[in-house]
Amino acid sequence: MSTRNNVPLERLGAAVSRTLAAAIEVFRRPDATLVVVGTAVGYLLIYLYALGHLAPGIGGFDVTVVSGALEKFFQPELGPFSFTPVARVSVGPVTYLFSLNTVLGLGIASLVGLNLGLTYLAWRQPAACGIGSSSSGFLASIPAVLSGTACCGPVVLIVLGIQASGIIVTAFQFLLPIAVVLLLGSLVLVGRQIDPARL
Amino acid sequence: MGFTRRRLLTIVGLSALAGCTSSADLGSEGAPATTAESSAAGSGSVSGGAVPTAKETLKLPMDPGELESLAVSGGPPKDGIPSIDDPSFVGPDGAGFLDPGDPVFGVALNGDVKAYPQKILVQHEIVNDRLGDLPVAVTYCPLTGTVQGFERGETTFGVSGRLINNNLVMYDRATEAWWPQILATSIPGPWNSAPGTRSLREFGLVWTTWEQWRELYPDTQVLSTETGFAKNYGRDPYGSYNPPGGYYANENTLFETLEEDDRFSRKRVFMGARTADGAVAFDKSTLLEERIMTGELNETPVVAVADQRLDTGYVYLNPEERTVTTDGSTVLIGDSSYEPDALPLAGIHTFDAMWFAWHGYYPDTDVYA
């Protein structure tokens, strides 16, 4: 392998290690940690709401776990990334459904939170270079929307008044993986601009 | 992303009229089920006798293979929308989750009186149940607003995940043949490429409100929310009927309709009836207002009568064109009076359907509004 071929890899490695260092730095600062946690919790709630797993219900106080919950936990329900709820928690007017989507949502919410946390750091960093503050927040919002839409399935099109086709329905299954890749990409894009030494 | 929340979800469903009578005996106040004499149970069943089918096969709008080619994935995989296979029921006092105006699908048959709440069926689309000793499937397609009951023999029906004409395509778990709900007739599909063309035995369910059903049947049983699934039955992913809103009240369809027609708005509700000879549809709101309407089904005179106890209607063949009137509370034929669901005429299985769905499958339908 030539040295020239190694250059992009080295640059990527450097960007990743910078991102990791910046991520650690995020959690050393209470204000940045608050941004991460606040964004992640907010995103998770919206994600579950969009999925219908956190919504107004029929009322009452009740916890139900379905039989064979473990087996059903990994069973797709309404689409490739929409899994079967295995427990229902009703607390007054609100009903929460627990499924693998809560775990997935937590993962995506963490990535969204970290993106915003790093953006916050880049913004707070004295004489921060480049694109940091405004565009990375925007970058993080695109995959966030994609991941939510992916789980909603084609019926989301009813709301938008768009008529579905086979191609659109097929495309839905790629939205969640695309969202995760975009979130990781934007994370590195922002993270590489932060110099932990200058924080 | 809040805009997405109310309408996530998915689809499927289908049924049609057998044109022949069900082998079941109607309860004294049950809706008319069929037009002809009952065929022997199980005769003419599909691929090995698993599903009881009718003697007469309903008319399909096109070649069965062509129908298969029009099937689209609604999003969920096979059984992604799970049928209820072990339903439990509560008494009316245990149905506190229902508001008076909530839609329920009611049936009084074989000694059983049951109400299936729309808010539960919208999440399952099929309930494999028994009425008396008769195994039945109660099916509902939210996208076409159709509720149809079928005899199922000893097998069960499931949701295929595919749609034709935006309408549920069911499959039977014995032969895996496809059964589009409104058509109620087997067509080829990926799991059974040659099921033959036969129609299911149907029975009527009434689309009414909880308040009206309970008043007429105070001892009714109600499908319980304890379905064995962790679902939120307070959330309809498509819209709302009480009050009307979302998908049920706008002009959007999820997929293209089979036929375009601008005579009526797409979601307008018609009382549809069909036989092997043709189809007829009466506008529901007009029928409820006028009480009695007459028309033709492929040149055979028919009469539609409203049942104001439940805000529904029934269609009867009336080849002799007997005069049918009303005195305000009952229906009069000659000197005798009858309940709307018990005229001495041949009843045709009648059910509610959104106009686009009915016209899509029956473009040559007679229609009265």
Side-chain angles (χ1 to χ4, degrees):
Chain A
M1 200 176 281
S2 72
T3 309
R4 207 177 56 174
N5 285 343
N6 282 338
V7 170
L9 277 181
E10 283 168 10
R11 287 180 61 184
L12 179 65
V16 169
S17 59
R18 239 181 195 213
T19 303
L20 285 176
I24 291 166
E25 187 60 29
V26 162
F27 292 103
R28 285 200 180 130
R29 296 177 52 152
D31 52 345
T33 304
L34 194 65
V35 170
V36 174
V37 174
T39 307
V41 168
Y43 176 81
L44 183 63
L45 291 177
I46 293 170
Y47 174 86
L48 292 173
Y49 180 75
L51 198 57
H53 285 191
L54 186 67
I58 57 174
F61 293 86
D62 184 41
V63 177
T64 307
V65 179
V66 303
S67 64
L70 266 184
E71 182 192 327
K72 288 177 182 158
F73 192 64
F74 296 98
Q75 216 172 66
E77 191 183 44
L78 302 180
F81 292 103
S82 171
F83 293 90
T84 308
V86 294
R88 176 178 61 206
V89 181
S90 301
V91 183
V94 177
T95 295
Y96 164 67
L97 306 178
F98 174 68
S99 74
L100 185 54
N101 283 106
T102 294
V103 181
L104 283 177
L106 202 56
I108 298 166
S110 304
L111 282 174
V112 173
L114 211 49
N115 264 281
L116 267 291
L118 288 186
T119 302
Y120 174 78
L121 268 196
W123 173 58
R124 299 290 296 174
Q125 176 177 287
C129 53
I131 63 170
S133 54
S134 59
S135 61
S136 59
F138 173 69
L139 275 177
S141 72
I142 296 173
V145 170
L146 284 181
S147 61
T149 310
C151 292
C152 302
V155 176
V156 71
L157 299 175
I158 289 176
V159 184
L160 303 176
I162 299 170
Q163 215 157 62
S165 70
I167 295 170
I168 293 179
V169 172
T170 307
F172 267 91
Q173 62 188 302
F174 297 113
L175 292 182
L176 191 84
I178 288 172
V180 171
V181 169
L182 285 179
L183 279 170
L184 288 171
S186 69
L187 198 63
V188 174
L189 209 59
V190 186
R192 74 186 174 87
Q193 301 170 52
I194 299 172
D195 181 358
R198 297 175 62 185
L199 292 170
Chain B
M1 251 186 340
F3 67 88
T4 63
R5 175 211 163 272
R6 290 188 61 196
R7 351 244 143 165
L8 344 165
L9 221 308
T10 21
I11 349 272
V12 187
L14 159 252
S15 94
L17 162 48
C20 295
T21 338
S22 157
S23 63
D25 296 318
L26 284 173
S28 59
E29 293 186 279
T34 62
T35 56
E37 286 302 305
S38 167
S39 57
S43 69
S45 60
V46 171
S47 303
V51 183
T53 51
K55 271 185 179 172
E56 267 191 308
T57 300
L58 289 167
K59 198 173 167 183
L60 295 177
M62 59 189 77
D63 180 74
E66 203 177 331
L67 279 168
E68 182 193 5
S69 71
L70 291 171
V72 293
S73 166
K78 182 184 187 183
D79 287 324
I81 294 176
S83 61
I84 299 174
D85 297 335
D86 188 17
S88 58
F89 291 83
V90 294
D93 293 337
F97 60 94
L98 288 174
D99 290 328
D102 283 351
V104 300
F105 313 135
V107 62
L109 189 64
N110 276 353
D112 268 341
V113 178
K114 291 182 174 179
Y116 301 85
Q118 183 268 346
K119 60 171 61 173
I120 298 180
L121 261 69
V122 72
Q123 307 259 13
H124 297 280
E125 303 193 358
I126 296 176
V127 182
N128 289 298
D129 195 8
R130 283 178 185 272
L131 293 171
D133 57 0
L134 183 73
V136 298
V138 171
T139 69
Y140 168 57
C141 177
L143 293 181
T144 52
T146 41
V147 180
Q148 291 160 264
F150 304 109
E151 293 183 35
R152 62 178 169 86
E154 289 311 314
T155 185
T156 54
F157 283 96
V159 176
S160 73
R162 312 299 170 89
L163 299 170
I164 301 174
N165 191 27
N166 288 279
N167 180 230
L168 164 74
V169 177
M170 314 180 298
Y171 76 96
D172 75 82
R173 293 187 173 123
T175 71
E176 302 227 308
W178 273 7
W179 303 86
Q181 185 208 22
I182 292 175
L183 299 178
T185 301
S186 51
I187 63 166
W191 314 317
N192 185 339
S193 57
T197 304
R198 297 186 182 280
S199 297
L200 294 169
R201 292 164 175 261
E202 295 184 286
F203 63 90
L205 288 133
V206 175
W207 183 313
T208 184
T209 62
W210 170 230
E211 184 177 34
Q212 288 173 297
W213 185 257
R214 185 177 183 174
E215 174 146 355
L216 193 58
Y217 296 104
D219 297 325
T220 184
Q221 299 180 77
V222 183
L223 181 64
S224 165
T225 55
E226 297 304 318
T227 57
F229 298 92
K231 296 276 189 185
N232 180 356
Y233 297 113
R235 175 184 159 274
D236 184 327
Y238 307 102
S240 156
Y241 275 108
N242 184 26
Y247 174 86
Y248 307 127
N250 66 31
E251 282 293 292
N252 299 334
T253 54
L254 184 55
F255 292 94
E256 210 173 319
T257 57
L258 286 194
E259 294 277 339
E260 278 301 326
D261 182 276
D262 57 7
R263 281 177 289 175
F264 310 106
S265 61
R266 284 176 164 179
K267 309 288 175 63
R268 189 160 164 181
V269 179
F270 281 76
M271 301 298 305
R274 72 275 194 259
T275 68
D277 298 323
V280 64
F282 291 89
D283 175 59
K284 189 174 185 178
S285 57
T286 307
L287 177 61
L288 292 178
E289 197 176 306
E290 297 190 2
R291 310 284 301 273
I292 291 172
M293 294 172 77
T294 56
E296 289 186 343
L297 187 159
N298 192 27
E299 297 181 355
T300 301
V302 294
V303 59
V305 297
D307 186 340
Q308 294 193 312
R309 299 168 301 175
L310 297 169
D311 276 349
T312 189
Y314 312 105
V315 177
Y316 296 85
L317 293 175
N318 188 16
E320 294 168 17
E321 298 192 68
R322 296 174 70 180
T323 302
V324 180
T325 57
T326 177
D327 64 2
S329 60
T330 58
V331 180
L332 304 173
I333 299 181
D335 295 333
S336 305
S337 65
Y338 304 90
E339 293 295 347
D341 58 352
L343 303 194
L345 296 171
I348 316 173
H349 179 63
T350 309
F351 56 93
D352 297 48
M354 293 175 184
W355 170 245
F356 83 85
W358 187 261
H359 181 260
Y361 269 150
Y362 304 109
D364 299 327
T365 184
D366 290 296
V367 59
Y368 302 92

